[in-house]
């Protein structure tokens, strides 16, 4: 169906037929209520009714934003043009009208509007970004490059500007400079993985095959696109180095001296699955190798007998056989024992010794994933899973030892101490509750996994004196609600407001409430237009970019080709070439709760928070707090531009906000009670 054209704003009587109340009673507040209750059509009609009765720029902008979110760009253009004719204009209206023109594919008209907006006293960086995109589309790459050099100088953290500068330079044949710009885009926002395939293709064209292979491979770590897999295969015979030399795993050469942990006040032990995938399941390990800092003993847990002994600093291996048994070999490759169920690896002194597991995968499916040696405290249980013919590695540590390996993996150790203390309590709650009550990984016989599905556990590699100070200062303390251990959840950056658990599609837990992360003098958005601008600006929030918080976690922009979204979405449903992404519902926290993706062959509606983030990019979107524009060329959708805020699901504790509150002098107790109202520490 063709988008509806609106040519007049005078038919108030007709518009009133679409409203639940007469047009004369319509208000911006009522229109906002329609919008945030998942009724965008009613909201649009209500905003239009306000325009008829009491014309304002605010009503026009809100009506246009809702029309755009519904994919009706011509209607948005008509609304904004009419407001402009009624002299309701201003820089904000011009920029929004320019983007509406871009969404419709009228690039030359958009470029002229961006030019007019740029003539204002306060240039909008997103107007500059849009103008540069228009210039590239019009083939004026030299002018676009000049615009983008200025923009990247003024906004060095805007990853999309670095990416577009790379595009313009590549089109001009300045390949070396284009490579530098693409690399800057990735450095500025590591989640902007969609840059890597383009960078890889350019490097391949430049016959820099090792570098190109690296970029294709890094793309495949996140999502195995056909382009990445084909590129890796195509270049495999042209590499000048071994793959392990081009992308070497992180090696640990020396063991880390560690202080013993006092048993006073500990809360038992935790069983942690090591080397797990995004869902918390063990990855397929046929062979593992390990080293210990001290002599060790291996016990067969099925027979309760000692089956092997070894000295420290030697590399031993365990390999599963086709019949489901597993064989242990020493540093010379000599078989030392065989087992069929599970073994326990114990050091001569578990309080001061460590074990290094060699070349483990970590964070699969993320832009920072890879391979690395990892060092741990405690005992190890190795399970030979005869059904799946894989080895399952389980680290057994006390709660406090576990927290030493979690804290700096989840929150940078350079952050304020009170924020680290708050995170330590959070991590303790997660560990204890999952071990005692939730049993999410009972199937694999461990309490928690070592990745984001539970919380990231990196072992000795992230320990430090400051980490141990934060953990020890909160030793034994748990956050409670009505006498029960709180189910504490957290995300990296809430973007300015946390959301209720029910808004994320979870349970309606009393202390999972919506909390503002704005400082007292900052007003939160209350309309579609305000949310759009909020995500493109830098309001004064506790979670704002700072010496501790990167801009890419707080405010981000991703330009994602439509074909990449289609390829990612094919795992759920094949929709053909993606034409539109429509926002059907947004929560009062600013987060998108319902999205319709329309393709040439089919469409799909996404309503779950993690699916919305997962399917709208090669790498998951940082959050579902976003707005989206469409890039159209020659009548076909080429890409989507996502402007977003925050990182994570946004429920509960905001890590970046905790840092900002600690900087302002809040104690860890105050930080926790701020994000979890009604709770208390025990």
């Amino acid at each position: 169906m063709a988008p509806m054209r609106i040519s007049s704003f005078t038919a108030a009587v007709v518009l009133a037929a679409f409203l639940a109340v007469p047009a004369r009673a319509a208000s911006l507040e009522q229109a906002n209520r329609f919008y945030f209750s998942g009724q965008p059509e009613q909201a649009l009609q209500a905003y239009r009714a306000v325009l008829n009765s009491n014309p304002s720029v605010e009503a026009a902008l809100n009506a246009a934003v809702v029309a755009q979110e519904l994919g009706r760009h011509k209607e948005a253009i008509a609304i904004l043009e009419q407001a402009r004719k009624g002299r309701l204009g201003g820089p904000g209206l011009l920029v929004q009208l320019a983007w509406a023109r871009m969404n419709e594919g009228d690039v030359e008209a958009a470029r002229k509007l961006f030019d007019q907006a740029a003539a204002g006293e306060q240039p909008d960086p997103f107007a500059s970004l849009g103008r540069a995109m228009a210039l590239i589309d019009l083939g004026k790459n030299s002018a676009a490059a000049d615009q983008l050099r200025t923009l990247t100088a003024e906004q060095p953290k805007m990853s999309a500007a670095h990416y577009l500068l790379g595009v313009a330079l590549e089109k001009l044949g300045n390949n070396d400079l284009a490579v530098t710009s693409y690399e800057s885009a990735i450095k500025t926002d590591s989640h902007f993985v969609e840059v890597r395939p383009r960078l890889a293709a350019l490097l391949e064209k430049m016959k820099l095959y090792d570098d190109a292979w690296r970029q294709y491979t890094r793309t495949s770590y996140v999502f195995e696109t056909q382009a990445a897999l084909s590129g890796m295969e195509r270049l495999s015979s042209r590499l000048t180095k071994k793959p392990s030399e081009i992308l070497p795993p992180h090696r640990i050469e020396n063991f880390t001296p560690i202080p013993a942990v006092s048993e006073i006040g500990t809360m038992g032990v935790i069983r942690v699955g090591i080397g797990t995938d995004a869902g918390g399941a063990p990855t397929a390990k046929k062979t593992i190798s390990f080293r210990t800092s001290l002599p060790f003993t291996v016990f067969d847990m099925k027979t309760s007998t000692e089956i092997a002994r070894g000295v420290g600093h030697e590399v031993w291996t365990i390999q599963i056989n086709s019949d489901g048994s597993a064989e242990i070999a020493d540093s010379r490759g000599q078989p030392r024992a065989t087992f069929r169920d599970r073994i326990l690896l114990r050091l001569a002194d578990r309080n001061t010794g460590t074990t290094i597991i060699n070349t483990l995968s970590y964070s699969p499916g993320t832009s920072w994933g890879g391979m690395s040696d990892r060092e741990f405290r405690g005992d190890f249980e190795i399970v030979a899973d005869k059904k799946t013919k894989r080895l399952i590695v389980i680290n057994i540590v006390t709660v406090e030892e576990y927290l030493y390996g979690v804290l700096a993996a989840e929150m940078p150790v350079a952050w304020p101490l009170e924020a680290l203390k708050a995170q330590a309590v959070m991590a303790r709650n997660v560990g204890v509750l999952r071990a005692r009550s939730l049993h999410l990984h009972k199937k694999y016989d461990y309490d928690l996994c070592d990745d984001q599905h539970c919380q990231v556990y990196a072992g000795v590699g992230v320990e430090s004196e400051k980490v141990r100070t934060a953990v020890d200062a909160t030793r034994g303390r748990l956050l409670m609600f009505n006498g029960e251990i709180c189910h504490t959840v957290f995300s990296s950056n809430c973007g300015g407001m946390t959301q209720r658990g029910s808004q994320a599609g979870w349970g309606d837990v009393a202390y999972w409430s919506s909390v503002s992360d704005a400082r007292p003098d900052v007003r939160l958005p209350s309309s579609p237009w305000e949310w759009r601008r909020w995500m493109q600006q830098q309001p004064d929030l506790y979670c704002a970019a700072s010496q501790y918080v990167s801009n890419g976690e707080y405010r981000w922009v991703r330009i994602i080709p439509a074909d990449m979204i289609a390829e990612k979405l094919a795992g759920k449903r094949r929709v053909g070439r993606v034409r539109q992404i429509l926002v059907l519902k947004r929560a009062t926290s600013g987060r998108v709760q319902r999205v319709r993706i329309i393709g040439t062959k089919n469409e799909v509606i996404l309503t779950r928070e993690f699916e919305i983030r997962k399917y709208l990019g090669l790498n998951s979107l940082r959050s579902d707090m976003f707005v989206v524009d469409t890039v159209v060329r020659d009548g076909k959708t080429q890409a989507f531009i996502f402007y977003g805020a925050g990182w994570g699901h946004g429920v509960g504790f905001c890590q970046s906000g905790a840092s900002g509150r600690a900087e302002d002098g809040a104690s860890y107790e105050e930080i926790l009670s701020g994000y979890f109202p009604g709770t208390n520490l025990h």
Side-chain angles (χ1 to χ4, degrees), residues 35-156:
Y35 179 76
F36 291 111
S37 63
Q39 302 177 77
E41 290 284 357
Q42 292 89 331
L44 178 56
Q45 298 301 333
Y47 287 126
R48 290 175 60 81
V50 173
L51 275 170
N52 280 281
S53 60
N54 186 22
S56 67
V57 174
E58 185 179 5
L61 287 169
N62 278 301
V65 167
V66 177
Q68 282 183 249
E69 290 190 340
L70 293 173
R72 286 149 48 177
H73 305 305
K74 290 181 180 178
E75 186 172 348
I77 291 168
I79 292 168
L80 294 168
E81 287 286 11
Q82 189 67 27
R84 192 179 175 202
K85 290 177 182 177
R87 299 188 177 182
L88 299 178
L93 189 141
L94 280 175
V95 172
Q96 190 61 26
L97 179 56
W99 278 111
R101 291 285 187 186
M102 285 287 285
N103 290 339
E104 186 60 21
D106 192 347
V107 179
E108 178 58 31
R111 196 268 305 167
K112 292 178 180 178
L113 289 163
F114 283 130
D115 284 348
Q116 293 178 47
E121 294 182 2
Q122 294 182 331
D124 183 333
F126 289 96
S128 299
L129 189 75
R131 181 176 184 272
M133 290 187 68
L135 289 169
I136 291 173
D137 284 352
L138 294 168
K140 300 178 180 180
N141 295 297
S142 181
D146 290 341
Q147 172 91 65
L148 289 161
R149 287 189 187 96
T150 300
L151 184 57
T152 53
E154 295 172 349
Q155 303 285 333

Side-chain angles (χ1 to χ4, degrees), residues 504-516:
W506 304 355
D508 196 14
V509 177
Y511 49 84
W512 289 351
S513 56
S514 184
V515 174
S516 169

